[in-house]
Amino acid sequence: MEIKLFGKNLHNVSAMLEKYGFCDSGNGTPELIVTYGGDGALLGAVRDYPEIPKFPLRDTETAPTCALHQTEKIIAGFAAGKLAGCELPCIIAAAPGGELSGINDLVLHSCDPACALRFRVFIDGELHAKEVFGDGICFATPHGSTGYFRSITRGTFRTGVGVAFNNSSEAVNHLVLPEDSAVTVEILRGPALLIADNDPHRIKVEVGEKVKFFKSGKTALIHGLKEFMCPECRKRRHHLHSLNEDE
């Protein structure tokens, strides 16, 4: 199978992939993008190669894995057709300054950390919150709910789309909506920055402008996502990071 490697420290995994019949596509179009790194490498590959399936592997230099999910075992399992594919929904934020998309979350945040954002929220065209003061709002997928959405709400969800209000001064509830819901945010005091996943490109949203958040009809096909997101591997990563912080 012709692949393209995406990430850092690729020398650690290239020979192993060749052993199981994966070859670099060179200047041709790859059948598969193999990401080597962490969540950020996968998000970057989805953004840069949206139409091509992904196969994520952890960089063991920075993310130790459990015995079941050592790199060669995962590659061998994929080569043998034993790793399931998963289609993650994509979400879009449409603003006057352009569009951003992601598979984790879309965030509208105050440009000035010393000044709260003021905005109103519409759900499917109906006014939901006349005026909210806070740092911003997060629109998340079920996959992304384990990240920034969880850090705000202390909860996750498995279906639909999530809306979290970051550091709001009002008693406004976080929401889990049907997946076909559209959320529109109008900036009353700002400006704000629109951010998608780990995309370095940001869009500035001025006072009076609106941003519409909704689920795209597109999905990102990821092979071996369950193995990539293993809870036991995550515990090992957190333990390593805690050791590094203590040094």
Side-chain angles (χ1 to χ4, degrees):
M1 176 182 286
E2 293 192 346
I3 66 167
K4 179 176 179 61
L5 270 172
F6 186 97
K8 298 179 180 179
N9 302 321
L10 301 181
H11 58 278
N12 291 340
V13 73
S14 56
M16 203 178 299
L17 286 162
E18 290 177 8
K19 175 182 174 181
Y20 288 90
F22 299 95
C23 61
D24 191 331
S25 64
N27 294 326
T29 302
E31 302 170 72
L32 181 74
I33 306 295
V34 179
T35 69
Y36 190 64
D39 295 3
L42 175 58
L43 293 174
V46 170
R47 182 171 60 250
D48 291 353
Y49 304 94
E51 305 298 330
I52 304 174
K54 316 296 182 301
F55 174 36
L57 297 169
R58 295 283 179 190
D59 180 353
T60 53
E61 287 191 15
T62 58
T65 59
C66 70
L68 290 176
H69 298 136
Q70 293 174 358
T71 304
E72 185 162 359
K73 288 184 179 180
I74 295 296
I75 294 172
F78 179 77
K82 296 180 179 179
L83 300 190
C86 176
E87 292 196 3
L88 297 181
C90 299
I91 49 177
I92 292 178
E99 287 188 356
L100 291 177
S101 64
I103 58 170
N104 263 10
D105 47 45
L106 305 166
V107 176
L108 198 59
H109 198 283
S110 172
C111 281
D112 184 354
C115 185
L117 200 63
R118 183 185 299 176
F119 55 94
R120 65 170 53 109
V121 180
F122 301 84
I123 298 176
D124 295 329
E126 298 290 331
L127 181 64
H128 174 75
K130 184 176 181 180
E131 199 167 51
V132 180
F133 295 83
D135 289 340
I137 189 170
C138 170
F139 186 79
T141 66
H143 179 69
S145 74
T146 61
Y148 191 42
F149 182 93
R150 183 180 182 182
S151 72
I152 297 172
T153 68
R154 303 305 175 193
T156 62
F157 59 94
R158 295 192 178 189
T159 60
V161 290
V163 179
F165 298 93
N166 187 9
N167 200 26
S168 169
S169 59
E170 289 78 33
V172 57
N173 291 329
H174 309 301
L175 305 168
V176 178
L177 303 171
E179 64 178 16
D180 59 351
S181 298
V183 176
T184 301
V185 178
E186 180 183 2
I187 302 301
L188 303 177
R189 185 178 72 188
L193 278 182
L194 180 60
I195 304 164
D197 290 349
N198 63 344
D199 193 337
H201 177 60
R202 315 295 170 74
I203 296 175
K204 193 173 185 179
V205 185
E206 303 288 353
V207 172
E209 294 184 336
K210 295 180 180 179
V211 180
K212 184 177 181 180
F213 300 92
F214 56 98
K215 180 186 172 186
S216 164
K218 297 181 179 180
T219 59
L221 177 58
I222 316 294
H223 293 283
L225 186 63
K226 179 180 178 182
E227 290 76 10
F228 186 69
M229 302 296 293
C230 167
E232 183 59 34
C233 294
R234 180 173 295 181
K235 288 180 184 178
R236 290 171 179 261
R237 293 197 299 276
H238 288 171
H239 179 64
L240 175 64
H241 294 161
S242 66
L243 291 177
N244 291 337
E245 290 173 358
D246 293 339
E247 290 179 355

